[in-house]
């Protein structure tokens, strides 16, 4: 963690062979821009790599985009900047 600029989540134990999710924040004028760097590796060797390529990469991208949309909406509501 490097408050308030970035923090990283690292999976210690779980379904993935490895998972690292870095959140980077920067100020642009009155706006905060967040960049996600999401790295993961599935178990099961070549089968896991094929699964990543044809399914999991797109699924995780959609999941992160939706999650970030909800975080943004929640932050804007709390800041009194409700945008629909």
């Amino acid at each position: 963690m490097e408050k308030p600029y970035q923090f990283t989540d690292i999976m210690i134990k779980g379904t993935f062979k490895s998972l690292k999710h870095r959140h980077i924040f920067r100020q642009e004028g009155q706006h905060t821009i967040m960049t996600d760097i999401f790295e993961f590796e599935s178990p099961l060797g070549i089968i896991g790599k094929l699964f990543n390529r044809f399914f999991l990469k797109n699924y995780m991208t959609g999941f992160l985009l939706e999650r970030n949309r909800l975080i943004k909406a929640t932050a804007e509501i709390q800041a009194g900047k409700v945008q629909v």
Side-chain angles (χ1 to χ4, degrees):
M1 178 177 280
E2 200 179 312
K3 238 179 176 181
Y5 304 107
Q6 66 97 17
F7 68 94
T8 303
D9 304 316
I10 299 173
M11 182 194 73
I12 303 294
K13 193 160 75 169
T15 306
F16 292 94
K17 183 175 180 182
S18 67
L19 187 140
K20 183 178 179 182
H21 185 187
R22 189 168 171 211
H23 311 264
I24 303 167
F25 303 93
R26 73 177 190 284
Q27 197 72 34
E28 279 191 13
Q30 296 295 317
H31 303 282
T32 300
I33 307 299
M34 181 181 78
T35 301
D36 276 325
I37 300 173
F38 191 79
E39 302 169 275
F40 64 93
E41 189 176 348
S42 294
L44 304 176
I46 190 74
I47 293 170
K49 288 181 183 186
L50 290 171
F51 184 70
N52 288 351
R53 183 172 186 186
F54 293 109
F55 174 73
L56 202 51
K57 183 178 176 185
N58 288 334
Y59 172 80
M60 294 305 283
T61 298
F63 172 79
L64 288 173
L65 289 170
E66 178 61 16
R67 182 177 154 275
N68 289 345
R69 187 189 68 73
L70 291 171
I71 291 169
K72 180 179 186 286
T74 301
E76 288 175 347
I77 288 170
Q78 290 178 358
K81 300 178 187 176
V82 179
Q83 295 180 359
V84 179

